[in-house]
Amino acid sequence: MHTEGPDERREERLEVTDRTRHRRLREKGSTLRSDLDDVLRAGFVCHLAVVVDGTPLAVPTVYGVDFDTRVLYLHGSVASRSLVQSPGAQVCVTVTHVDGLVLARSVFEHGVNYRCAMVLGTPRRVTDREELLHGLRVLTEQCAPGQWEYARSPSRKELAATSLLALPLDEASVKTSAGPPDDGEGPDAASGVWAGVLPYRPVFGAPEPDPLLPAGTPVPAHIAALAGRR
Amino acid sequence: MHTEGPDERREERLEVTDRTRHRRLREKGSTLRSDLDDVLRAGFVCHLAVVVDGTPLAVPTVYGVDFDTRVLYLHGSVASRSLVQSPGAQVCVTVTHVDGLVLARSVFEHGVNYRCAMVLGTPRRVTDREELLHGLRVLTEQCAPGQWEYARSPSRKELAATSLLALPLDEASVKTSAGPPDDGEGPDAASGVWAGVLPYRPVFGAPEPDPLLPAGTPVPAHIAALAGRR
């Protein structure tokens, strides 16, 4: 029997399509599935590109990924409206992490360090009660691990009012840009201009209790643990 | 002579169109021009929604706004490709700031605090040399104020290789979601579950010099000043 080891799994590659082939120079495309997963795992807000009434919109929404079934779940009221209009509608889900400003000797070589994943496909509305619960759990746990067990679960009525989309990770691309500026060995290197990277990262601050919370309600450990982390 | 005062300017309203009218409940739409400007001023990376070969894509890119001429400039190689294919193509530029996780007593009431601006329209490619320089300046200064004067200006050849798009701020919408969760007075309030907001904000870290930089090259004051700020 062949058992897939972690190293082999780490080396699994994404299928490259005409839409996901990398075209640009400075950015570095990756076809490693683990790179895609790392970018998706590091966030909880994506931008969904969807055509609504003929206009492409980029709509921010919350997402979570089930890395076992390779399905991305997202809150999708705007997309739902569009998907009702045109079944089979294509969308793009983009997750971007801005990691820093690249400050070069010349304006032209300036840039941004980032990691970006784009998932393409046709999402389906989640209507099955069990999958709705599962998708919400995935989404909630990606935002704040431990919160699904801690907070009250959705009622039947609340589930019915939840609009969730499922998008398989079948067609995706990853691009990252990292490191110092490129003009350290060019003619501008002698200019005396400072060059380097200004790192940029989001962090969670200290929890702010709801003013209506009874005094003395303890902050649960899984929430306290998030403060200071990204 | 009537002189427009700062208060009046602050009250200027955005024109509401069918595409920018707010439909959702929890989020708070604003039609104040100053709210739009505040959201646009606070960022430097947007997501551009554009249809490329029939597929809507959400592409992250750098932007800057000239608040006098009310024009948003963005780096737009992907969009350029698309715009060449279909002149007059509609796009959407979305700027999103995630401000916090809203942790409620119930999973259903969970959410994200955010500020989001969406600008709709048909961008034009900037081809005029003077406007290319101006747009790059606006973009550079929005990322790192002071950097345009400090770094070497683009050469004629570099300008020719720069793809810049201009999008007027004529049709735009702003949505913000802020404050504690909504279930502080409902039946879940007695559950003893902690509820509140986990603030989330990006910050600039300490400048990391290019390893190729000559030892002793000082970090300019305008860059040092950004560390610790968002």
Side-chain angles (χ1 to χ4, degrees), chain A residues 19 23-24 42 44-45 47-51 53-60 62 77-78 81 90-92 94-96 98 100-101 103-110 112 114 116 118 120 136 140 143-144 147-148 150-154 158-159 161-162 180-181 183-185 188-189 192-214 217-220 223 226-227 229-230, chain B residues 19 23-24 42 44-45 47-51 53-60 62 77-78 81 90-92 94-96 98 100-101 103-110 112 114 116 118 120 136 140 143-144 147-148 150-154 158-159 161-162 180-181 183-185 188-189 192-214 217-220 223 226-227 229-230:
Chain A
R19 301 196 299 186
R23 289 180 173 87
R24 301 285 302 282
F44 58 91
V45 170
H47 280 80
L48 170 72
V50 60
V51 176
D53 296 330
T55 303
L57 300 181
V59 186
V62 174
S77 24
V78 167
R81 204 168 78 217
Q90 291 284 324
V91 307
C92 165
T94 301
V95 174
T96 306
V98 177
L101 281 180
L103 303 165
R105 286 109 180 136
S106 66
V107 165
F108 186 73
E109 294 290 344
H110 275 60
V112 169
Y114 67 91
C116 176
M118 293 170 73
L120 303 175
L136 276 178
T140 306
C143 290
Q147 188 68 0
W148 179 262
Y150 179 71
R152 178 175 64 72
S153 293
E158 288 169 344
L159 270 188
T162 299
D183 57 357
E185 291 176 323
D188 290 325
V193 169
W194 186 90
V197 171
L198 200 60
Y200 190 72
R201 73 178 197 108
V203 286
F204 282 116
E208 298 172 350
D210 183 349
L212 295 176
L213 206 64
T217 308
V219 179
I223 296 302
L226 286 174
R229 293 173 58 182
R230 62 178 290 167
Chain B
R19 304 196 298 185
R23 289 179 173 88
R24 301 285 303 283
F44 58 90
V45 170
H47 280 80
L48 170 72
V50 58
V51 177
D53 295 331
T55 302
L57 300 180
V59 186
V62 173
S77 24
V78 167
R81 206 167 78 219
Q90 291 284 325
V91 306
C92 164
T94 300
V95 174
T96 306
V98 177
L101 282 179
L103 303 165
R105 287 104 180 145
S106 67
V107 165
F108 186 73
E109 294 289 345
H110 276 58
V112 169
Y114 67 91
C116 175
M118 294 169 74
L120 304 175
L136 276 178
T140 306
C143 290
Q147 190 67 1
W148 179 262
Y150 180 71
R152 177 176 64 72
S153 292
E158 287 170 344
L159 270 189
T162 299
D183 57 358
E185 291 176 325
D188 290 325
V193 168
W194 186 89
V197 171
L198 200 60
Y200 189 72
R201 73 179 198 109
V203 285
F204 283 116
E208 298 172 351
D210 183 349
L212 296 177
L213 205 64
T217 308
V219 179
I223 296 302
L226 285 174
R229 294 174 55 182
R230 62 178 292 168

Side-chain angles (χ1 to χ4, degrees), chain B residues 46-141:
Chain B
C46 63
H47 280 80
L48 170 72
V50 58
V51 177
V52 176
D53 295 331
T55 302
L57 300 180
V59 186
T61 190
V62 173
Y63 76 94
V65 176
D66 182 332
F67 290 99
D68 292 322
T69 58
R70 314 287 305 160
V71 172
L72 185 148
Y73 291 100
L74 66 161
H75 256 292
S77 24
V78 167
S80 297
R81 206 167 78 219
S82 160
L83 293 174
V84 167
Q85 289 172 8
S86 52
Q90 291 284 325
V91 306
C92 164
V93 170
T94 300
V95 174
T96 306
H97 308 293
V98 177
D99 293 327
L101 282 179
V102 180
L103 303 165
R105 287 104 180 145
S106 67
V107 165
F108 186 73
E109 294 289 345
H110 276 58
V112 169
N113 280 343
Y114 67 91
R115 290 159 292 145
C116 175
M118 294 169 74
V119 184
L120 304 175
T122 302
R124 61 181 166 81
R125 290 187 77 150
V126 179
T127 51
D128 176 75
R129 189 177 172 277
E130 283 311 306
E131 194 184 4
L132 262 177
L133 277 172
H134 176 69
L136 276 178
R137 181 193 190 113
V138 164
L139 214 130
T140 306
E141 288 293 297

